[in-house]
Amino acid sequence: MSGYTMLRNGGLGNGGQPWMLRWSSRIRLSWLSFTLFIILVFFPLIAHYYLTTIDDANDPDRRIFGPRTGNELCEVKHVQDLCRIRESVSEELLQLEAKRQELNSEIAKLNVKIEACKKSIENAKQDLLQLKNVISQTEHSYKELMAQNQPKLSLPIRLLPEKDDINIPLPKSKRNCGLHNCFDYSRCPLTSGFPVFVYNSDKYPFGNLIDPLIRQALEASVRNNVYVTENANNACIYVVLMGEMQEPVMPKPTELEEQLHSLPYWRTDGHNHLIINLSRKSETQNYLYNVSTGRAMIAQSTFYDSQYRPGFDIVVSPLVHAMSEPNFLEIPPQVPVKRKYLFSFQGEKIESLHSSLQEARSFEEEIEGNAPADYDDRIIATLKAVQDSKLDFVMVEFTCKNQAKPSLPTEWALCGERDDRLELLKQSTFALIITPGDSQLIISAGSAMRLFEALEVGAIPVILGEQVQLPYHDTIRWNEAVLILPKPRVTEVHFLLRSISDNDLLSLRRQGRFLWETYFSTSDTVFNTILATIRTRLQIPAAPIKDEPAVEIPHRSGKAAGTDPNMADNGDLDLGPVETEPPYASPKYLRNFTLTAADIYRNWNTAPGPFHLYPHTPFDPLLPSEAKFLGSGTGFRPIGGGAGGSGKEFQAALGGNVPREQFTVVMLTYEREEVLMNSLERLNGLPYLNKVVVVWNSPKLPSEDLLWPDIGLPIVIVRTEKNSLNNRFLPWDQIETEAVLSIDDDAHLRHDEIMFGFRVWREARDRIVGFPGRYHAWDISHRSWLYNSNYSCELSMVLTGAAFFHKYYAYLYSYVMPQAIRDMVDEYINCEDIAMNFLVSHITRKPPIKVTSRWTFRCPGCPQALSHDDSHFHERHKCINFFVKVYGYMPLLYTQFRVDSVLFKTRLPHDKTKCFKFI
C-alpha cells in the first residue's frame, strides 16, 4: 500500500525521484521505434538478397523462387485449370484486339463516306433546286403559249322570249324552210345543254282531245328526260304534244291553227317549236296538212311531199307500246334464219290512184308534174305468179278476210288485228311493204305500222317504192336492216330474196332488232330519239350519263396490313412499281364539239361492234357512251416505255398507248367479315391498284368494332339500297379508272396472276379478261341450252368473280340492258356473271379471254358460297335460256384461245429479254 502510494506521488521512498520515470519512458519509446524500423527496412532487403543469391546457383534443381517456364509451372497439378483459362483469355484478348483495329479502320472509312454523302446531298439539293426552277419556268412558258394559241371565248348572248321582237318574214314557200332560215340558233348555244320546254297539254284546248294513252305515255317520258326544263325563258326547243284526236269532236284546221298561234311562246311564227303528232293506229289522220305551222318543226308518221321539209321536219315511227313494255318472251328468236314463208303480204287496195287524183284536195296547186304509173296491178300479178309457182312458200293476200282498216287514198290497208298480223310475220323471213300508189304520199302511218311490226318480230322488211321516207332516214342507214326496191323491179324480187345468204339474213335481222329496240319500242325511246335528232342537227353534245352515287359507310382502319407470302412471293419478278404518289384516275375524255356526219352515222347505225351496238343511254339514243369512260383509249398518248430494253425494264413499265394506268377492285360481299378482311389484306402491296370499292350487299351494317386493314390505299365501303347481285356492276362514282377488277370476297389470287390479267386486259380493252372459264352447250334431248362448268379446252364465258372489264359495260349493264334480265338476276339471286358475258359478247361479237390455267379461285377454308347449292346450276340453265329469248339469239361465242405466262415467272438473267407469250 505504501509503495503504491509512493508511486502515485511521483517519487521513491520519501521524496522519490520523478524525473527517472520520465527518462525511462522516453528510452522505451525510442527503442521500440528503432526496432520497428530495422524490421521493416533491413529484413526485406536481406531476404531479397538471400533469395536472389540462391537463384543464381548453377544447379537448376536449386531454383526455388526463380521464374519457371509455363510447362514447368503447369506440371503442378493444382494450377492446370488456371493455365487453361489463362491461355483461352489470352487468345480472346488477341482476337478482340484485332477486331478493334478492324473496326477502327472501318469507322475511319465510314467517316470518309459520310463526308462524301454530305457533299453529295448538298449537290443534289442544288440540282433539285435548279430542276424546280426549270420546271417552274417551263410551266410558265407553257401557259403563255397556251394563252397565245387559245383565244378567250365568251358565251353567246341569250335572246330571251320577252325581248324577242324580231319579225322575220316567212320564206316564199314553206318547203324552203330549213334550220338556216327558220330556226333561231341564238337560243341554243353549244354550252346550253339543249334545254327543252314542253307545254302542258291540259292548258290548251286541243290537248283534252288527244288519245289518253298517248298523252299519258308522253307525259311520263317527259318527266324522265334529262333535257326537259321548266324555265321557258331559257329553253332552246318548245315542244307541243299532239296525237290521235278523239272522234267525233275534232277541231277544224282553222281552229287548230288559232290554238297553236295562241301559245304563249309561239312568237308570231312558231320558230324553235316542235309539234309531235304521234299515232297509235294505222288510220291516224294527217291533222296538220291544212294547218299553217309557220317555222315550227313537225314530227309525225304521215307526210305528203308538199308538206315535208327535208332536214327540218322529222318522220317518226308510230307509238304502238304506249304504256307497256314489249314482252321479250313473245318475240320470236332470230334463229333459225329461214322461216316457213319466204315472204308474206296482206293488204287491200281500197281506192286506186286514178280515183284518188280526181278528188279535190288542198294544196293541189303544189303538186307538180303528172302522176306516175300505177304499178299495183303489175305487183299483184307478179306476186300471185310466185305464189302459184310453189317454188317457195309465200303468203300473199290482196283481199282482207275481215273488214280492212281505214287508210289514206292509194294506200294498202292493213288486214285483221295486230296479233293476227304478228303471227304471220313470225313465220315469214321477209315482209313486203308496198308504198302508196300516190308518189306525193312519201310516208303514211299504215306503212310505218307495217315497218314497226316487221322489225318487232324479226321479219326483214322489203319495201317496194324508193320514194319512201323512212323514220329518221337522215341519220339511220336503213340499207343495213331493210331492202328498198323500186316498184318496177317487182319481177326480180323473188330472185333477189332467194340469193341472199344466211349470214346476210342474220345480219339484217339483228340490225333490225337493234333499231326497233333502240328507237321504236317504247314511248321513252321514241321521245328521246326525236330530241336526239334535233340536237344532232344543231351539233350540240349530248348530256353525259350520270354515275351511280355511292353512299359510303364510315369505318375504322386498324394496323397496317401484312403481306401474305403466298400472295407476294414473286422471287426476282418485278410486277411493277409500288406507287408512292396518291392514286390517280384514268384520263377523262370530255366529249367536245367536234361532231361530224361520220360520228352521227357511226353512233346511230354501227352494230355489232365494240361500244356501238348500244351506242346510247336511256337518256339519249345518240350518246355513244358517257364521255369520261369511252374515249380515253382514243386520241394522242405520250410514248413511254417503248424504247426497248431488257426484260426487267419491260416488267417495270406498262408501256403501250396508256403507259400510266391503274385499276379499281370492286368486291361484293354479304355478312362475311372475316373472309372479307382476309381478302382485303391480300391486296396489300398490289401494284397499279387505285382503290378498293367494297359493295356491302347486306341491309345489316358492319360491326362497329370492326377494324379494317390499312393497305395504304383507299377502301370505300358502299351501302346498297337492297340485296342484289346487280349491285356488282353499278357504275359507282367512286370508280375513277377505266379498268375494273370484279372479284368475290373469297377469291384467292396471287399478285402476279392479277398483274398478268391486267396486262392482258390492256391489250383487249373491249373484252372480259378473267380466270375461271365456263361454257354453254346445247341439250339435244331437251332442245335447250345448258350451263357447264367442267374442265374443257373450250369456253364461252369468264366468271366475273375474278375478271377485268371496262367501266363502259357497267353503264350498259345498269342502264341500257333490258330490265327483264336484271329482274331475272334478282329473282334467282344468281346469273349476274352470265348476264354480263351475254352483254359483252352481244356488243363486241367476240368471246372473253381466259388467262392462266386455273379453273377455280376459291380460298381454302372459306365458308361455302351460294354456288355450292344444288339449285345453283339448275337456275343457271334457266337463266341462259331466258337470256337467249330476250336477245333473240345466242350471243355467246366459243373460243379455245387462252393466254398463259410462259416466261412471266421464269428466272432469267436481267440482261436477257423476258416477255409474255400468248398461247
Side-chain angles (χ1 to χ4, degrees):
M1 211 44 205
S2 61
Y4 175 74
T5 304
M6 182 183 60
L7 290 173
R8 291 186 61 185
N9 291 331
L12 296 173
N14 294 329
Q17 295 180 1
W19 58 273
M20 288 293 292
L21 294 173
R22 288 192 298 269
W23 180 80
S24 61
S25 298
R26 289 190 187 100
I27 292 176
R28 291 174 185 171
L29 292 173
S30 299
W31 176 254
L32 180 61
S33 299
F34 178 78
T35 303
L36 290 175
F37 176 77
I38 294 299
I39 293 172
L40 294 176
V41 175
F42 289 96
F43 182 77
L45 293 175
I46 295 172
H48 180 266
Y49 174 78
Y50 176 77
L51 292 175
T52 54
T53 304
I54 294 176
D55 290 337
D56 289 337
N58 295 328
D59 190 0
D61 296 335
R62 296 180 56 190
R63 292 181 181 178
I64 300 174
F65 300 100
R68 297 176 178 268
T69 62
N71 293 333
E72 293 178 354
L73 185 62
C74 290
E75 290 178 358
V76 182
K77 184 178 180 180
H78 299 285
V79 294
Q80 290 180 355
D81 293 338
L82 296 177
C83 291
R84 285 194 297 269
I85 294 173
R86 188 190 67 173
E87 293 176 356
S88 63
V89 170
S90 300
E91 184 177 357
E92 290 179 2
L93 289 175
L94 294 175
Q95 292 177 356
L96 289 175
E97 178 64 21
K99 186 177 293 186
R100 185 183 66 82
Q101 295 178 359
E102 183 180 356
L103 290 176
N104 289 335
S105 176
E106 291 181 359
I107 290 173
K109 294 180 181 179
L110 290 176
N111 290 331
V112 174
K113 289 183 179 180
I114 289 173
E115 295 298 327
C117 290
K118 289 181 178 179
K119 294 180 180 179
S120 300
I121 292 174
E122 294 296 330
N123 295 333
K125 288 181 179 180
Q126 295 295 331
D127 295 341
L128 180 60
L129 183 60
Q130 294 178 1
L131 288 175
K132 288 182 178 180
N133 294 333
V134 172
I135 292 174
S136 178
Q137 294 176 1
T138 305
E139 291 179 349
H140 182 71
S141 301
Y142 175 77
K143 292 179 180 179
E144 290 181 350
L145 291 175
M146 294 298 294
Q148 294 176 2
N149 297 328
Q150 292 183 352
K152 295 182 179 180
L153 299 177
S154 59
L155 297 178
I157 299 175
R158 301 287 300 273
L159 297 180
L160 301 179
E162 59 270 15
K163 297 181 180 180
D164 188 6
D165 298 327
I166 301 177
N167 189 7
I168 304 176
L170 291 171
K172 295 181 180 180
S173 174
K174 70 174 185 178
R175 282 184 54 85
N176 297 329
C177 203
L179 292 176
H180 65 284
N181 58 357
C182 290
F183 190 84
D184 185 5
Y185 277 93
S186 64
R187 296 183 175 276
C188 304
L190 294 175
T191 57
S192 63
F194 192 62
V196 177
F197 177 79
V198 181
Y199 287 99
N200 188 352
S201 58
D202 295 333
K203 293 184 179 181
Y204 46 88
F206 63 85
N208 297 324
L209 303 178
I210 302 176
D211 186 346
L213 289 179
I214 293 180
R215 185 172 63 180
Q216 294 176 13
L218 290 178
E219 289 176 353
S221 300
V222 167
R223 288 193 297 268
N224 298 328
N225 195 276
V226 296
Y227 297 108
V228 174
T229 178
E230 296 181 357
N231 187 359
N233 294 329
N234 296 328
C236 169
I237 300 295
Y238 299 86
V239 176
V240 182
L241 301 179
M242 294 186 62
E244 297 176 354
M245 299 291 184
Q246 294 180 346
E247 299 179 356
V249 182
M250 295 179 60
K252 296 180 181 180
T254 55
E255 296 176 354
L256 184 59
E257 183 176 324
E258 292 177 358
Q259 294 176 13
L260 288 175
H261 291 183
S262 64
L263 294 174
Y265 304 101
W266 187 263
R267 297 187 297 275
T268 69
D269 57 3
H271 63 273
N272 290 48
H273 274 64
L274 171 65
I275 303 175
I276 300 179
N277 181 20
L278 295 180
S279 60
R280 194 167 57 92
K281 303 175 183 178
S282 61
E283 61 269 20
T284 301
Q285 299 297 321
N286 188 1
Y287 304 110
L288 300 175
Y289 185 74
N290 292 322
V291 176
S292 177
T293 56
R295 287 187 168 90
M297 294 175 287
I298 300 175
Q300 61 181 18
S301 301
T302 302
F303 277 106
Y304 283 96
D305 184 61
S306 59
Q307 180 188 12
Y308 179 69
R309 296 164 291 185
F312 194 71
D313 294 328
I314 304 174
V315 180
V316 300
S317 63
L319 184 59
V320 178
H321 300 287
M323 294 299 295
S324 62
E325 296 287 336
N327 188 354
F328 291 99
L329 298 180
E330 297 180 358
I331 299 177
Q334 299 183 27
V335 289
V337 176
K338 294 182 178 179
R339 299 176 178 176
K340 178 180 179 180
Y341 300 111
L342 178 63
F343 61 84
S344 64
F345 177 81
Q346 284 182 326
E348 183 174 343
K349 197 68 171 294
I350 299 178
E351 190 174 4
S352 65
L353 174 64
H354 298 292
S355 61
S356 65
L357 292 177
Q358 296 174 0
E359 295 184 356
R361 289 171 40 194
S362 302
F363 302 111
E364 187 177 3
E365 66 277 5
E366 297 182 7
I367 301 178
E368 301 176 358
N370 298 324
D374 191 353
Y375 291 100
D376 290 345
D377 295 338
R378 185 185 304 178
I379 292 174
I380 293 174
T382 303
L383 296 181
K384 283 187 176 180
V386 174
Q387 185 178 25
D388 295 339
S389 66
K390 298 183 180 179
L391 296 176
D392 288 293
F393 286 104
V394 297
M395 171 62 71
V396 290
E397 294 180 353
F398 300 102
T399 303
C400 295
K401 298 179 180 179
N402 301 322
Q403 185 177 3
K405 300 292 183 182
S407 62
L408 296 174
T410 74
E411 183 184 17
W412 287 91
L414 293 172
C415 296
E417 299 297 330
R418 168 178 158 80
D419 294 339
D420 298 332
R421 297 194 300 270
L422 292 180
E423 286 300 324
L424 176 60
L425 292 174
K426 290 178 182 179
Q427 305 178 58
S428 305
T429 305
F430 297 94
L432 293 184
I433 301 176
I434 305 176
T435 58
D438 187 358
S439 61
Q440 300 298 318
L441 185 60
I442 59 176
I443 187 63
S444 64
S447 299
M449 183 65 71
R450 290 180 181 272
L451 177 65
F452 180 92
E453 293 177 350
L455 295 176
E456 181 179 5
V457 296
I460 302 172
V462 179
I463 301 177
L464 294 177
E466 75 281 5
Q467 81 281 1
V468 67
Q469 299 291 343
L470 297 180
Y472 320 112
H473 62 88
D474 54 346
T475 49
I476 293 180
R477 284 198 292 259
W478 280 105
N479 59 344
E480 296 181 355
V482 175
L483 299 177
I484 303 177
L485 304 174
K487 288 185 178 180
R489 292 195 180 276
V490 65
T491 57
E492 301 173 307
V493 168
H494 185 212
F495 166 79
L496 177 63
L497 299 185
R498 292 194 64 183
S499 64
I500 300 177
S501 64
D502 290 352
N503 290 335
D504 292 337
L505 290 177
L506 184 59
S507 177
L508 290 168
R509 183 173 296 164
R510 185 179 299 150
Q511 181 69 8
R513 173 71 175 270
F514 159 68
L515 295 177
W516 177 79
E517 287 184 2
T518 307
Y519 307 120
F520 308 141
S521 57
T522 63
S523 61
D524 288 341
T525 57
V526 171
F527 185 70
N528 292 334
T529 304
I530 293 173
L531 295 184
T533 302
I534 300 176
R535 183 190 53 74
T536 305
R537 290 175 178 176
L538 300 178
Q539 299 181 344
I540 298 178
I545 192 172
K546 302 298 182 182
D547 284 325
E548 189 71 19
V551 180
E552 298 186 33
I553 300 177
H555 65 284
R556 294 187 303 160
S557 297
K559 62 180 182 179
T563 302
D564 190 344
N566 296 324
M567 298 294 102
D569 184 13
N570 303 299
D572 60 353
L573 180 63
D574 190 356
L575 297 180
V578 178
E579 304 293 346
T580 58
E581 57 181 319
Y584 50 86
S586 296
K588 295 182 179 180
Y589 175 78
L590 300 177
R591 193 176 188 188
N592 51 28
F593 307 108
T594 57
L595 301 178
T596 62
D599 292 328
I600 295 173
Y601 276 105
R602 184 189 67 215
N603 295 339
W604 280 71
N605 299 279
T606 306
F611 304 131
H612 295 304
L613 187 57
Y614 282 126
H616 51 82
T617 69
F619 306 129
D620 191 338
L622 276 184
L623 183 59
S625 66
E626 197 224 5
K628 72 178 184 179
F629 60 81
L630 174 62
S632 62
T634 62
F636 175 77
R637 286 288 180 269
I639 298 175
S646 65
K648 182 178 181 181
E649 295 173 351
F650 172 80
Q651 294 169 353
L654 284 177
N657 294 324
V658 189
R660 188 172 185 263
E661 186 174 18
Q662 294 181 339
F663 62 90
T664 302
V665 169
V666 176
M667 186 177 296
L668 187 72
T669 186
Y670 185 90
E671 296 184 2
R672 296 199 297 181
E673 295 180 353
E674 183 178 357
V675 175
L676 175 63
M677 297 302 108
N678 293 334
S679 297
L680 292 176
E681 288 184 359
R682 286 195 293 268
L683 299 177
N684 185 36
L686 180 61
Y688 305 111
L689 179 60
N690 181 272
K691 70 175 63 171
V692 180
V693 177
V694 178
V695 181
W696 191 264
N697 223 24
S698 172
K700 181 181 177 182
L701 296 179
S703 303
E704 295 182 358
D705 57 348
L706 181 63
L707 291 179
W708 295 73
D710 182 7
I711 62 174
L713 292 169
I715 297 179
V716 181
I717 299 94
V718 179
R719 184 176 184 178
T720 58
E721 295 181 356
K722 64 176 182 178
N723 178 19
S724 173
L725 294 180
N726 293 316
N727 296 330
R728 179 195 296 271
F729 302 123
L730 282 173
W732 302 106
D733 55 4
Q734 290 291 337
I735 302 176
E736 299 177 321
T737 60
E738 295 181 6
V740 177
L741 173 58
S742 174
I743 190 170
D744 289 340
D745 57 1
D746 58 354
H748 198 266
L749 295 173
R750 299 193 308 270
H751 288 187
D752 63 291
E753 293 175 325
I754 296 176
M755 288 309 305
F756 180 68
F758 179 51
R759 284 176 174 263
V760 173
W761 176 85
R762 285 167 44 82
E763 304 295 332
R765 307 174 74 90
D766 61 335
R767 300 163 78 173
I768 299 177
V769 176
F771 300 89
R774 302 292 185 266
Y775 66 96
H776 66 288
W778 178 253
D779 187 356
I780 300 178
S781 59
H782 296 87
R783 301 194 61 80
S784 62
W785 295 101
L786 297 177
Y787 170 84
N788 202 312
S789 62
N790 296 330
Y791 292 88
S792 173
C793 295
E794 198 167 52
L795 61 97
S796 60
M797 293 175 284
V798 167
L799 302 186
T800 54
F804 286 92
F805 64 88
H806 201 289
K807 189 184 177 183
Y808 175 81
Y809 294 120
Y811 293 89
L812 298 186
Y813 184 97
S814 302
Y815 302 142
V816 180
M817 189 179 68
Q819 181 63 37
I821 296 179
R822 293 190 292 272
D823 293 340
M824 185 79 166
V825 172
D826 288 336
E827 178 182 355
Y828 285 142
I829 316 180
N830 199 344
C831 307
E832 85 287 354
D833 47 1
I834 300 178
M836 177 59 81
N837 278 270
F838 265 70
L839 175 65
V840 177
S841 296
H842 177 53
I843 292 174
T844 62
R845 303 306 302 134
K846 297 177 183 179
I849 297 178
K850 172 176 170 52
V851 293
T852 74
S853 59
R854 293 188 60 179
W855 208 259
T856 59
F857 55 91
R858 301 295 179 186
C859 65
C862 292
Q864 289 188 351
L866 295 175
S867 58
H868 294 276
D869 193 352
D870 294 338
S871 61
H872 176 75
F873 286 93
H874 297 287
E875 293 172 351
R876 294 174 85 81
H877 299 329
K878 296 179 182 178
C879 288
I880 287 184
N881 289 279
F882 178 78
F883 297 164
V884 169
K885 292 181 179 179
V886 173
Y887 284 99
Y889 75 110
M890 169 55 75
L892 298 179
L893 299 174
Y894 293 106
T895 181
Q896 292 184 349
F897 179 79
R898 193 184 76 201
V899 184
D900 284 339
S901 56
V902 177
L903 298 178
F904 191 64
K905 294 198 66 176
T906 303
R907 304 311 192 244
L908 294 177
H910 289 164
D911 58 345
K912 302 296 183 180
T913 301
K914 290 185 181 180
C915 63
F916 295 136
K917 285 193 177 181
F918 298 159
I919 62 172

